[in-house]
Amino acid sequence: MKYLKSDFDERSLTKREDLQDYIEFRAANDKWIHPFCNECTVSGIGIAGMVEKAVSQAAGFSIPDNDVEESQELEARLTNKLLLVFPEDFSFKAMSIRYTAFRDVLNRSGFEKSSTLEREVSKEKKGAMPPLLKGIIMSLGLSLNQEECNLLIRDEKVSAMKSAQYRIFRDKDVVEKLESYLTEEFPDFTYAGGHVNHEYLLFDYMLNATDQEESFRMMLEDLGVDADKLGTFKIGVQVSTSDVGNSSITFSPFYIMNGVKAFLAEPLKVPHLVSKDVYDIEECFPKIAAAIKESEDDIETLGNTPIHFPKKCVEGLVDELKLPKTESKDVQFDSDCTAMDVYFALFDVIQKAYANTGSLSALINNSERIAKLLKNVNRITVYDKE
């Protein structure tokens, strides 16, 4: 069964019920299996249509052509023309390798820095390796790796092939534990929508924290923020989880003002490592409230730092942080500008870019890069010149 119908499908989780449907579907249908790497091989699809099997010397097996499901061969043919062959339930199975798992397979086979194997199409004067040859080379690498791996089967494809050092966290557990904490500390919290694709699950909660929001409004009012903008000020927390993107669970306190969401602090992260467990996730929860409180000083510092050439600052930071350039060209500022306005404008840029491109991974990664400016105003003022 598939929740996402294609590799690049993205779905909105507008209502809390949508999120519940998603996490329950994943809990019921995702499958993690744990073969040894040298029990797996990679098979490339030949030009003539036959699925050729690269046989692992260590494992010593092959799969008859008629044991490869037609749907899996078709999926592979439409993408990277590669299938992973792995043991399951006392037999071997061949499944198409989703783009999210390709680099994992390279890592497990010992070719993590091979641009030749990564290249799917000819580029400049460098040709693309045929899938059959890729399969043979990657299979030889896997045959030399005796470690266990964590193989994720999701939406009828191999979505990840992680090392034995990878800790599996279920989205359902994360949501339930966070909401239990929010119910105690922020009883008026509300779900504010989310998105999911094959790389990330991202969703927001508005905390409806009256005292904290009023404290921020008073500080922003002292900094001269327009009263109309202050009326839209709200505080929340963004949650993102990823088995294949950043391989972490991330909590990012934010504020929304005038329709733009900006991080209040650098994200709190729990990486998917065997040294981490659910208690590490729970330890992040009280840090969310602490980060919101501490961020007042950081925002105040930005708000008290005058900027004379804000467009130059945006231009310099867009280049430095590798942010979208097209959307940055339309940024407008009032005559009296501060580093806080520049910081806020950068988030406006990446959210407009997301609306135009739909790249959830870019939105998440760009937000985290911008958040690092909060405690380093000098990275903004260095560009404040003609």
Side-chain angles (χ1 to χ4, degrees), residues 34 102 126 219 304 347:
H34 314 283
F102 180 69
K126 297 180 179 179
M219 181 265 290
N304 282 322
F347 276 97

Side-chain angles (χ1 to χ4, degrees), residues 3 10-23 179 190-196 201-206 354:
Y3 187 90
E10 181 175 314
R11 291 178 62 173
S12 295
L13 305 174
T14 307
K15 301 177 182 178
R16 178 60 181 81
E17 292 81 2
D18 298 331
L19 176 63
Q20 191 65 31
D21 288 345
Y22 173 75
I23 60 178
E179 289 190 348
T190 54
Y191 177 76
H195 302 271
V196 64
L201 165 64
L202 180 148
F203 52 98
D204 292 342
Y205 295 103
M206 302 312 300
Y354 173 65

